[in-house]
Amino acid sequence: MKFQIRTYGGVFFFGGLFAISNIISCCLVLKYCIVRLNLKYRIAGELRKDIFHKLIQIDTKFYDKNTTGTILQFLSNDSEDAGKFVPGILVEMFIMGLFRTLAFSILLLVADFKIGAGIVIFYLLGIFVTILLNRKTVTLLKQIRLITIEVLNQMNEGISGFITIKSLQIEEEQINKLDKTIKEYNKVSQKLNKQIASYNAIFTIIVSFSFIWLITAGTMGLTSGVISYGLVMLMIDWRGTLDADIQWFLKHITNFNRCYLAFCKILEFIGIEEVEKINEGKELKKITSVQFENVSFSYNKEQIILDNFNLKINSKQQIALVGRTGSGKSTIVNLICGFYKATSGSILINGEEIR
């Protein structure tokens, strides 16, 4: 009777410890989720703020080379994905995931080096093949990003040019144009899903041989008495945990590619050094004359906007610039403001070269 009481007491004691450990584990997981979400939103918010500040300060040429869709992609999708990069990708996938993978790999090697090494080799081979196939995934993600920018451009044109579209009665044309772009998006997305499914299938086939190797080598070891039945069962369990961790990593590798691509694009944009020198120049009320002397300008080598243009405007004099769209009216104003530099010739303000 005393033996039974002590036995039950031990069961209750360890049962209580198990329950307490589970409660602590749940609290830690909850805290981790809260911290991860807060960090994700904070990073995304800071990135959006930095992007907006850069958009205000950046050289005007950036807006000639990039569309509204590109800017919206930075501020919306890229910032959201980049916000997940540190807490969701680096911490969860690499630090925590890599630590667990290494831990169970070491356990398998320590339990039985020969069997464990065979299992690890099969998984390393599967990961290597997956990395090779993953290159195509990155290419497809870049294509999807460009198509998304085009969708944002067309939606922006539809909203900002609503009156024009209604006046010209080209609603059907705009709808068909957007529909074509979305079909292209779906087409590339299907290619991406097929690519992901293919390397997941190949990985599963390769690592399935690790289980065959474990059962075969374990059975031979049991027959010869080299290894115990309990150790074989333990290695089967560890191999299952290792498989679950790596499968989880592969399942989220596309998210890693997307977040990494977005993070790099934002860092590349924020790193642009060409900014407007807003504190330089002359006050408008102090300008007495503006003069163009043989000024030529082109946005690119193929299309010349101004060719040996000459003009002099004195203070309080009023003139009108008249011409068709693309003839250079806005370009002349932008050159006076210093948003662009003339390809050749001189622009004088109060007789001084604007540069």
Side-chain angles (χ1 to χ4, degrees):
M1 188 67 181
K2 290 182 179 180
F3 173 76
Q4 290 180 349
I5 292 174
R6 280 199 294 267
T7 302
Y8 289 146
V11 170
F12 289 136
F13 175 75
F14 286 106
L17 286 179
F18 181 73
I20 292 172
S21 65
N22 277 340
I23 293 172
I24 294 174
S25 177
C26 290
C27 292
L28 290 174
V29 170
L30 178 62
K31 182 64 176 177
Y32 166 73
C33 291
I34 294 173
V35 171
R36 185 184 66 176
L37 288 174
N38 288 339
L39 183 60
K40 182 188 78 170
Y41 291 128
R42 182 173 179 179
I43 292 174
E46 289 296 322
L47 287 174
R48 288 190 177 103
K49 184 174 70 174
D50 291 341
I51 291 170
F52 185 73
H53 287 172
K54 195 70 175 183
L55 288 170
I56 294 176
Q57 299 172 352
I58 203 166
D59 193 278
T60 312
K61 294 179 181 178
F62 174 82
Y63 292 95
D64 296 330
K65 300 176 183 178
N66 296 274
T67 60
T68 304
T70 303
I71 298 170
L72 292 175
Q73 176 72 14
F74 278 139
L75 290 169
S76 180
N77 299 335
D78 285 347
S79 298
E80 184 72 20
D81 289 334
K84 304 173 187 175
F85 185 67
V86 174
I89 303 299
L90 292 183
V91 175
E92 191 166 348
M93 287 185 68
F94 277 89
I95 298 177
M96 296 174 63
L98 187 61
F99 176 79
R100 284 173 57 87
T101 300
L102 289 174
F104 282 98
S105 298
I106 292 171
L107 284 174
L108 287 167
L109 292 171
V110 171
D112 188 286
F113 184 80
K114 181 181 177 181
I115 298 176
I119 295 172
V120 172
I121 288 172
F122 278 114
Y123 275 98
L124 288 176
L125 179 61
I127 292 172
F128 176 74
V129 173
T130 301
I131 291 173
L132 290 179
L133 296 174
N134 185 53
R135 294 179 180 179
K136 182 69 177 295
T137 304
V138 176
T139 303
L140 292 172
L141 283 172
K142 289 180 179 179
Q143 292 180 20
I144 289 175
R145 185 177 183 277
L146 292 176
I147 297 173
T148 302
I149 290 174
E150 182 59 28
V151 171
L152 292 172
N153 281 330
Q154 292 179 19
M155 294 177 69
N156 176 68
E157 289 174 4
I159 295 171
S160 59
F162 174 77
I163 300 299
T164 304
I165 293 172
K166 295 294 288 184
S167 300
L168 298 176
Q169 296 182 347
I170 55 174
E171 298 93 338
E172 192 68 27
E173 180 181 337
Q174 293 297 109
I175 292 173
N176 291 335
K177 183 180 177 181
L178 181 60
D179 185 58
K180 183 180 179 180
T181 307
I182 292 175
K183 285 181 179 178
E184 181 66 21
Y185 178 89
N186 293 334
K187 181 180 178 181
V188 179
S189 296
Q190 288 175 2
K191 288 183 180 179
L192 176 63
N193 292 331
K194 288 180 181 179
Q195 182 68 15
I196 295 171
S198 65
Y199 71 61
N200 279 334
I202 293 172
F203 176 82
T204 303
I205 292 171
I206 293 174
V207 300
S208 64
F209 287 99
S210 68
F211 187 73
I212 297 173
W213 162 252
L214 173 58
I215 296 300
T216 304
T219 302
M220 293 174 62
L222 285 172
T223 305
S224 60
V226 177
I227 190 172
S228 66
Y229 176 78
L231 188 58
V232 172
M233 295 303 297
L234 195 60
M235 292 186 74
I236 291 174
D237 182 64
W238 287 343
R239 184 260 174 197
T241 305
L242 178 65
D243 184 76
D245 287 339
I246 297 178
Q247 289 281 9
W248 181 90
F249 180 86
L250 293 178
K251 183 180 178 181
H252 292 81
I253 196 169
T254 305
N255 291 333
F256 163 75
N257 291 331
R258 184 182 291 107
C259 294
Y260 178 74
L261 180 62
F263 196 75
C264 290
K265 288 291 183 181
I266 290 177
L267 290 182
E268 181 183 347
F269 170 70
I270 294 176
I272 295 175
E273 295 181 357
E274 295 182 2
V275 296
E276 294 286 0
K277 298 177 181 180
I278 58 177
N279 294 323
E280 295 186 2
K282 296 182 180 297
E283 292 184 33
L284 184 59
K285 62 183 179 181
K286 295 182 179 180
I287 295 177
T288 58
S289 67
V290 176
Q291 184 174 357
F292 286 73
E293 291 185 350
N294 300 321
V295 173
S296 296
F297 177 80
S298 62
Y299 292 104
N300 52 62
K301 296 180 180 179
E302 291 75 22
Q303 185 180 10
I304 298 175
I305 306 299
L306 298 177
D307 187 17
N308 290 324
F309 177 72
N310 290 275
L311 173 69
K312 184 174 182 180
I313 315 166
N314 294 317
S315 176
K316 298 182 180 179
Q317 185 180 0
Q318 296 181 353
I319 67 167
L321 297 175
V322 182
R324 60 180 176 79
T325 302
S327 61
K329 302 185 298 296
S330 299
T331 300
I332 292 171
V333 177
N334 289 332
L335 287 170
I336 294 173
C337 295
F339 293 146
Y340 301 99
K341 295 179 181 179
T343 307
S344 63
S346 300
I347 301 174
L348 308 175
I349 296 181
N350 293 353
E352 297 179 5
E353 169 64 49
I354 192 172
R355 279 177 280 199

